[in-house]
Amino acid sequence: MTEETDNGIGGVHIKYLLHCPRQLWLYSRGYRPEQNNSSVAFGEALDATTYTRRRDIDLGEAKIDWVTTGAVVHETKSSRTPSPQHEAQVRHYCLLLARLGVNIARGVVHYPLVRRTTEVAWDAFARAEAEKTEQAAKDVIAADQPAPRLPRSRCRGCSYRDYCWGDL
Amino acid sequence: MTAAARTYWLTEPCRIRREDNSIRIERPDQTPIRIPITDIRDLVAFDHVDVNTSVVSLLNRHDITVHLLDHYGNYAGSFTPHEGMSSALALRRQVEVTSDTHLRLTAARDIVATTAANVKWALDTDLLDAPLKRLTEDLPTAGDSNALMGIEGNFRRSSWEVLDTMLPPWLRLNGRTRRPPSNAGNAFISYVNTIVYARMLTALRCTPLHPAIGFLHADTDRRRNTLALDLAEPFKPLFAERLLRRAAAQKTLRQSDFESDVARASLSKGGRKKVAEMLRAELASTVYHRSLKRKVSYEELIHLEALKIVRLCLEGTSYKPFRPWW
Ligand code: SF4
């Protein structure tokens, strides 16, 4: 059917879920505000956030290293601070790939700006974690109403601010 | 909207051509202007434009609308890219919300009431207190859009009369006329209202909503997007009535800014430039928004209005049309 009722959960969904469930709910309903970070023109932003394209890109971005014993999923982040959200996103890619029959060894998040990497284990526990997160995303999307807004201070930099806070 | 992209106003006849990823605007007797495609949010053409296929495909790829005004300032149509933002789920809700008679009429009444209050605000006079009171009393009895439009029409007639008392004789409306506007004042109002409508159309195109499924205006209004028409209503007085009053007080407009015939008037080339300039400045002026905790431009207010309908459709929150709070 339509993109919204297709319950495929991609990397963006996981990222939004962990940032703000409300954001995930709105995103899943097809409301995708233009990214207001300056240089990105509207048309381009629109292209890049289109669901299917984005999913391809996300899987594509999680570059994979192949060694004989298993695949290593690499993800590069432009952020300076490692965060549990990034690990969860990588675990989600591992889950999607494992379901496709890929034998996953582990994941690595790269932070080139601070020359750091974070190892993400892939074992039964990690898989259960990833499945739990995926289910949480599905639950948020299936709800009739969006989650309440976060405390304002946590909305900084979110492109949904005009939507969430724009009513007087 | 805070993106870098801007609205470009084409006040003279011109030819638009593509040059790599820029568009080149060629005007008679002037050096062409080049604008990178990523700098454009939309184009408003006050005069004839000439485009070719390669421009159209570039505009389409970048989701840029070209709004076309006719000689008298009426909306002549637009080049609208395919709907990149639309979402089946949001659309389905929009159709449900607008086909629920109760919800639809409630929103339509609120739009009429708010627009009237905004007219009074724009004219800043107590001469409209009585007509406004009558409108407020009559609204609950209106059972359909036609009745609502009738009540609104009564109020509007009073408001044009009051506006006329604030204008020099040559700029007076002497009753509202369109297609074509009969005199300078009417021509000014037509142009400005059309631009406000075009701004709303552009704002709606940044949401998953369909601009043609609305509350107040009849679905059969040909060529027009009823939701954009509805949502533009409360904003029109803020621009049209207010700027006309201001232009009269400051003597910004002159008779030579119009081309007037026996029963028809339109802006002259110079007049179009002036009006585009006034509107551009007004759209960019800002007010402090209490809940966003920052300054927002009038252009952004139009954008926020479109988001209210997204909220109405997705979350079922009630829609309160825009009223100036400052
Ligand atoms: S603005 Fe705040 S509440 Fe709204 S989606 Fe963003 S983070 Fe969540």
Side-chain angles (χ1 to χ4, degrees), chain A residues 19-20 22-23 149-150 154-155 158 160-161 164-165:
Chain A
H19 171 238
C20 173
R22 180 178 170 82
Q23 186 179 15
R149 295 180 294 206
L150 290 183
R154 295 195 41 210
C155 298
C158 177
Y160 286 72
R161 269 176 312 169
C164 291
W165 298 96

Side-chain angles (χ1 to χ4, degrees), chain A residues 3 6 12-13 17 28-29 32 34 61 63 66 71 73 86-87 108 115 119 121 125 130 136 153:
Chain A
E3 52 180 54
D6 166 3
V12 181
H13 297 85
L17 170 77
S28 74
R29 282 347 186 230
R32 316 203 174 162
E34 113 195 53
E61 273 167 1
K63 287 186 214 79
W66 300 95
V73 176
H86 302 154
E87 289 176 38
V108 183
R115 295 164 179 255
E119 292 274 325
F125 177 73
S153 56

Side-chain angles (χ1 to χ4, degrees), chain B residues 146-314:
Chain B
N146 278 339
L148 278 172
M149 301 284 247
I151 293 171
E152 150 152 75
N154 290 337
F155 174 83
R156 281 301 206 166
R157 270 187 290 282
S158 315
S159 80
W160 305 129
E161 280 168 23
V162 171
L163 176 60
D164 275 354
T165 65
M166 303 168 174
L167 302 173
W170 70 272
L171 209 47
R172 286 187 192 143
L173 305 177
N174 297 317
R176 179 84 177 104
T177 49
R178 304 154 235 245
R179 295 175 196 280
S182 58
N183 51 35
N186 271 291
F188 180 89
I189 300 264
S190 287
Y191 278 95
V192 175
N193 282 346
T194 299
I195 304 278
V196 175
Y197 165 74
R199 304 321 306 140
M200 187 52 84
L201 202 52
T202 291
L204 282 169
R205 292 194 41 77
C206 298
T207 73
L209 301 172
H210 198 292
I213 308 172
F215 301 97
L216 170 64
H217 291 84
D219 291 336
T220 48
D221 200 331
R222 278 183 306 138
R223 292 183 300 179
R224 306 266 260 175
N225 289 298
T226 54
L227 182 60
L229 279 174
D230 292 352
L231 299 187
E233 282 299 314
F235 287 95
K236 286 177 179 172
L238 209 67
F239 293 91
E241 275 86 348
R242 195 145 146 273
L243 290 180
L244 185 55
R245 251 185 80 203
R246 191 187 296 166
Q250 301 175 348
K251 301 194 167 50
T252 330
L253 290 171
R254 279 183 296 177
Q255 258 164 299
S256 60
D257 291 322
F258 296 87
E259 284 163 4
S260 301
D261 238 326
V262 184
R264 53 184 60 207
S266 63
L267 289 170
S268 70
K269 199 163 118 182
R272 282 197 288 267
K273 275 213 174 91
K274 270 189 194 170
V275 171
E277 208 35 70
M278 285 164 90
L279 277 163
R280 200 150 43 180
E282 199 60 15
L283 284 163
S285 68
T286 58
V287 286
Y288 185 77
H289 193 289
R290 290 192 305 278
S291 93
L292 282 174
K293 295 191 191 296
R294 65 176 168 87
K295 284 180 164 186
V296 294
S297 65
Y298 286 16
E299 174 96 52
E300 282 177 286
L301 290 175
I302 292 175
H303 175 67
L304 292 175
E305 196 72 2
L307 293 186
K308 288 182 190 171
I309 306 298
V310 182
R311 263 197 302 272
L312 167 67
C313 292
L314 295 185

Side-chain angles (χ1 to χ4, degrees), chain A residues 2 4 22 25 29-32 34 36 38 41-42 44 46 145-146 152 161-163 165-168, chain B residues 1-3 38 63 85 87-89 206 208 289-294 304 307-308 310-311 314-315 325:
Chain A
T2 59
E4 288 84 3
R22 180 178 170 82
W25 189 91
R29 282 347 186 230
Y31 177 49
R32 316 203 174 162
E34 113 195 53
N36 28 19
S38 64
F42 182 33
E44 288 171 18
L46 196 72
Q145 285 291 312
R152 277 194 92 96
R161 269 176 312 169
D162 282 355
Y163 177 91
W165 298 96
D167 211 8
L168 277 174
Chain B
M1 278 181 289
T2 35
T38 51
D63 244 305
M85 290 293 274
S87 134
L89 216 137
C206 298
H289 193 289
R290 290 192 305 278
S291 93
L292 282 174
K293 295 191 191 296
R294 65 176 168 87
L304 292 175
L307 293 186
K308 288 182 190 171
V310 182
R311 263 197 302 272
L314 295 185
E315 301 184 54
W325 61 82

Side-chain angles (χ1 to χ4, degrees), chain A residues 36-83:
Chain A
N36 28 19
N37 45 22
S38 64
S39 63
V40 188
F42 182 33
E44 288 171 18
L46 196 72
D47 245 4
T49 49
T50 304
Y51 181 88
T52 44
R53 290 273 308 267
R54 187 71 211 191
R55 187 165 53 180
D56 295 345
I57 292 166
D58 279 337
L59 272 177
E61 273 167 1
K63 287 186 214 79
I64 305 167
D65 242 5
W66 300 95
V67 291
T68 41
T69 48
V72 178
V73 176
H74 295 275
E75 167 79 355
T76 304
K77 289 286 175 198
S78 56
S79 140
R80 293 174 171 273
T81 355
S83 110

